[in-house]
Amino acid sequence: MNSSKRILIIGGGISGLSAALWCQRQGLQPLIIEQTPRLGGQLHQIHLPLVDYPGFKGTASELLETLVAQISEQDIHYRLGQSIKHIDYKNNVAYTENESLTYSALIMATGNRKRALPQLKPFMGRHVHMTATGVIEQLKHQHIAIIGGGDGAFENALLLAPSVNKVDILIRSGQPRARQYFVEQARRISNISLHYQQKVQYFKDEPTFRGLHLAHSITGEEQRLECDQVIIKCGYTPAQELLPESLLPPENGLQLDDQNIWVIGDVRNPIDPCMSVCIGEAARASREISRYLEPIG
């Protein structure tokens, strides 16, 4: 690969895959580095039909299958199960455990990671989970509490409702952040209940009580909620560890301080992650990089 046109893309989710396809169309040479064993990122965690990608009707797995097929057809290079340990921004070199990779431009498409609740950590894997995916059989016929008011919380509630006894969604604010489509669906299902302005204190597993201790987020009034299992869906934190403080993403624009670094996708938008935004920013970054490397005039 010609390092003079190599575009190093960190992250193989929808942002990174889209960026690679767009860069290839610009005559550049993208290389995707993905730390997990498979491409796709959070597309693997979406199980309801997609509603925020205009013009596409289908599931996230179907969209991912199409993207990966296009990556293969375009002969775009990628490395799985590798992570970037250090980046020498001055000399344009990124280091994995086994090699050094020079680049002409860098696209940071590292996405978000789920926000955990330290007070529930002792019960992780037994009564507390980060998602319903993979444990649906374990949760059957139980009373489930879901912490969070965003799309993930409501998607998990809708996924679980047909097979569990009850789902309580605990929302810290006075209204959910989830898109109206999900909220309306949840309100129509009899075994899903919404609870507003609830702050989780801790979980108890005792002979006389199993469940959450809560406090009203405004009045502080305490109450208990009996439940068997808890799903944490209280947002994300951006995966920005590879960026030094001096290079944090700007509020406007994708390029960092006129350097050869672009930050795209959910790593820039932890509050409102959106596939359409990811794809749009990937297209914009590829065009900006092409002009940056081969300026006109």
Side-chain angles (χ1 to χ4, degrees):
M1 182 178 289
N2 180 2
S3 62
S4 67
K5 286 193 174 184
R6 175 188 282 165
I7 312 303
L8 187 62
I9 301 171
I10 305 178
I14 191 167
S15 297
L17 295 175
S18 301
L21 289 166
W22 282 109
C23 284
Q24 187 85 343
R25 290 186 65 180
Q26 296 292 329
L28 304 170
Q29 297 180 358
L31 171 63
I32 303 170
I33 303 295
E34 168 56 44
Q35 64 181 353
T36 71
R38 57 184 181 175
L39 296 171
Q42 293 188 33
L43 286 175
H44 292 288
Q45 301 173 25
I46 301 173
H47 303 281
L48 295 177
L50 297 178
V51 296
D52 66 347
Y53 191 6
F56 178 82
K57 293 183 69 174
T59 65
S61 61
E62 291 169 339
L63 175 60
L64 176 58
E65 183 179 350
T66 300
L67 285 169
V68 172
Q70 291 177 344
I71 292 289
S72 178
E73 290 166 4
Q74 296 295 320
D75 196 27
I76 293 173
H77 294 220
Y78 58 87
R79 314 272 178 85
L80 300 178
Q82 294 191 25
S83 57
I84 302 296
K85 302 299 182 182
H86 171 69
I87 301 175
D88 181 348
Y89 290 102
K90 183 177 180 180
N91 294 302
N92 300 333
V93 183
Y95 297 89
T96 69
E97 289 184 349
N98 304 314
E99 64 180 327
S100 59
L101 300 167
T102 57
Y103 60 85
S104 296
L106 174 69
I107 296 179
M108 195 76 68
T110 46
N112 297 323
R113 64 174 53 88
K114 297 174 183 176
R115 182 179 290 119
L117 293 178
Q119 65 268 40
L120 301 186
K121 186 176 180 180
F123 297 95
M124 287 297 300
R126 289 187 293 139
H127 297 295
V128 179
H129 314 272
M130 297 301 293
T131 182
T133 306
V135 294
I136 292 179
E137 288 296 317
Q138 179 183 334
L139 303 181
K140 273 187 173 181
H141 310 301
Q142 297 193 59
H143 183 171
I144 313 299
I146 299 180
I147 305 169
D151 287 352
F154 279 80
E155 184 186 27
N156 271 240
L158 294 169
L159 189 66
L160 288 171
S163 62
V164 303
N165 293 338
K166 183 172 174 55
V167 180
D168 286 301
I169 303 178
L170 306 176
I171 302 166
R172 186 164 181 168
S173 64
Q175 60 182 4
R177 291 183 292 103
R179 70 196 73 182
Q180 196 64 28
Y181 171 82
F182 285 151
V183 177
E184 290 174 357
Q185 276 194 307
R187 285 175 173 158
R188 288 196 294 264
I189 298 175
S190 60
N191 66 339
I192 296 179
S193 298
L194 278 59
H195 305 266
Y196 298 102
Q197 296 177 327
Q198 296 298 319
K199 181 179 179 181
V200 173
Q201 303 292 89
Y202 51 88
F203 184 88
K204 282 286 186 181
D205 183 19
E206 299 174 337
T208 58
F209 175 78
R210 176 185 290 170
L212 291 165
H213 285 249
L214 308 172
H216 194 279
S217 58
I218 296 177
T219 67
E221 180 182 354
E222 296 185 357
Q223 61 175 307
R224 302 195 306 178
L225 175 72
E226 287 194 51
C227 60
D228 300 303
Q229 302 283 339
V230 178
I231 307 291
I232 300 175
K233 285 291 179 182
C234 53
Y236 298 86
T237 56
Q240 298 178 352
E241 291 79 6
L242 289 171
L243 290 173
E245 287 189 18
S246 60
L247 293 176
L248 289 180
E251 291 185 8
N252 299 309
L254 307 177
Q255 185 179 5
L256 300 187
D257 298 330
D258 296 323
Q259 301 189 52
N260 59 341
I261 306 164
W262 278 256
V263 181
I264 66 170
D266 288 348
V267 67
R268 290 175 42 82
N269 305 297
I271 296 176
D272 293 305
C274 175
M275 286 193 301
S276 298
V277 172
C278 292
I279 295 167
E281 290 186 348
R284 177 180 165 189
S286 70
R287 288 177 168 88
E288 290 182 2
I289 290 170
S290 181
R291 291 192 292 267
Y292 179 88
L293 297 179
E294 297 183 14
I296 300 173

